[in-house]
Short mmCIF file of all heavy atoms in Angstrom, two decimals:
data_model
loop_
_atom_site.label_atom_id
_atom_site.label_comp_id
_atom_site.label_asym_id
_atom_site.label_seq_id
_atom_site.Cartn_x
_atom_site.Cartn_y
_atom_site.Cartn_z
N PHE A 158 1.11 -3.76 -15.14
CA PHE A 158 1.65 -3.01 -16.35
C PHE A 158 1.28 -1.51 -16.02
O PHE A 158 1.72 -0.63 -16.84
CB PHE A 158 1.08 -3.48 -17.62
CG PHE A 158 1.68 -4.75 -18.06
CD1 PHE A 158 0.92 -5.94 -18.10
CD2 PHE A 158 2.95 -4.87 -18.49
CE1 PHE A 158 1.40 -7.12 -18.37
CE2 PHE A 158 3.50 -6.07 -18.87
CZ PHE A 158 2.75 -7.17 -19.00
N ASN A 159 0.50 -1.18 -14.95
CA ASN A 159 0.30 0.17 -14.69
C ASN A 159 1.14 0.55 -13.64
O ASN A 159 1.20 0.07 -12.49
CB ASN A 159 -1.25 0.31 -14.17
CG ASN A 159 -1.54 1.65 -13.73
OD1 ASN A 159 -1.10 2.65 -14.24
ND2 ASN A 159 -2.33 1.75 -12.54
N LEU A 160 1.92 1.60 -13.94
CA LEU A 160 2.98 2.15 -12.94
C LEU A 160 2.57 3.59 -12.47
O LEU A 160 3.44 4.32 -12.04
CB LEU A 160 4.31 2.13 -13.59
CG LEU A 160 4.85 0.90 -14.39
CD1 LEU A 160 6.21 1.05 -14.93
CD2 LEU A 160 4.79 -0.27 -13.32
N VAL A 161 1.33 3.94 -12.60
CA VAL A 161 0.78 5.21 -12.26
C VAL A 161 -0.11 5.20 -11.08
O VAL A 161 -1.01 4.27 -11.10
CB VAL A 161 0.10 5.94 -13.42
CG1 VAL A 161 -0.41 7.25 -13.09
CG2 VAL A 161 1.04 5.96 -14.65
N GLY A 162 0.01 6.06 -10.14
CA GLY A 162 -0.91 6.16 -8.94
C GLY A 162 -0.29 5.49 -7.74
O GLY A 162 0.47 4.68 -7.74
N ALA A 163 -0.89 5.98 -6.58
CA ALA A 163 -0.46 5.56 -5.19
C ALA A 163 -0.73 4.07 -4.99
O ALA A 163 0.03 3.41 -4.31
CB ALA A 163 -1.11 6.41 -4.11
N ALA A 164 -1.74 3.47 -5.71
CA ALA A 164 -2.15 2.14 -5.49
C ALA A 164 -1.47 1.19 -6.47
O ALA A 164 -1.77 -0.08 -6.38
CB ALA A 164 -3.66 2.05 -5.54
N GLN A 165 -0.70 1.68 -7.40
CA GLN A 165 -0.07 0.84 -8.44
C GLN A 165 0.84 -0.24 -7.72
O GLN A 165 1.51 0.13 -6.78
CB GLN A 165 0.61 1.65 -9.50
CG GLN A 165 1.74 2.49 -8.98
CD GLN A 165 3.09 1.76 -8.95
OE1 GLN A 165 3.27 0.72 -9.61
NE2 GLN A 165 4.09 2.35 -8.45
N VAL A 166 0.95 -1.34 -8.28
CA VAL A 166 1.68 -2.45 -7.76
C VAL A 166 2.84 -2.92 -8.63
O VAL A 166 3.56 -3.74 -8.40
CB VAL A 166 0.92 -3.68 -7.32
CG1 VAL A 166 -0.16 -3.19 -6.17
CG2 VAL A 166 0.07 -4.19 -8.54
N GLY A 167 2.92 -2.27 -9.82
CA GLY A 167 3.82 -2.69 -10.81
C GLY A 167 5.32 -2.60 -10.46
O GLY A 167 6.04 -3.57 -10.55
N LYS A 168 5.70 -1.47 -9.96
CA LYS A 168 7.15 -1.38 -9.57
C LYS A 168 7.54 -2.25 -8.46
O LYS A 168 8.68 -2.79 -8.36
CB LYS A 168 7.54 0.12 -9.39
CG LYS A 168 7.74 0.92 -10.61
CD LYS A 168 8.67 2.10 -10.43
CE LYS A 168 9.02 2.77 -11.74
NZ LYS A 168 9.85 4.02 -11.50
N SER A 169 6.61 -2.38 -7.48
CA SER A 169 7.01 -3.19 -6.30
C SER A 169 7.15 -4.71 -6.78
O SER A 169 8.06 -5.47 -6.35
CB SER A 169 5.99 -3.14 -5.20
OG SER A 169 4.70 -3.44 -5.66
N SER A 170 6.24 -5.07 -7.69
CA SER A 170 6.31 -6.47 -8.18
C SER A 170 7.58 -6.66 -9.04
O SER A 170 8.20 -7.75 -8.93
CB SER A 170 5.02 -6.90 -8.98
OG SER A 170 3.97 -6.88 -8.07
N LEU A 171 7.86 -5.78 -9.87
CA LEU A 171 9.17 -5.88 -10.69
C LEU A 171 10.40 -5.88 -9.84
O LEU A 171 11.30 -6.73 -10.19
CB LEU A 171 9.17 -4.81 -11.80
CG LEU A 171 8.02 -4.88 -12.86
CD1 LEU A 171 8.03 -3.56 -13.67
CD2 LEU A 171 8.26 -6.05 -13.81
#
Side-chain angles (χ1 to χ4, degrees):
F158 288 109
N159 173 38
L160 308 181
V161 178
Q165 63 90 10
V166 297
K168 278 201 171 181
S169 61
S170 294
L171 291 169

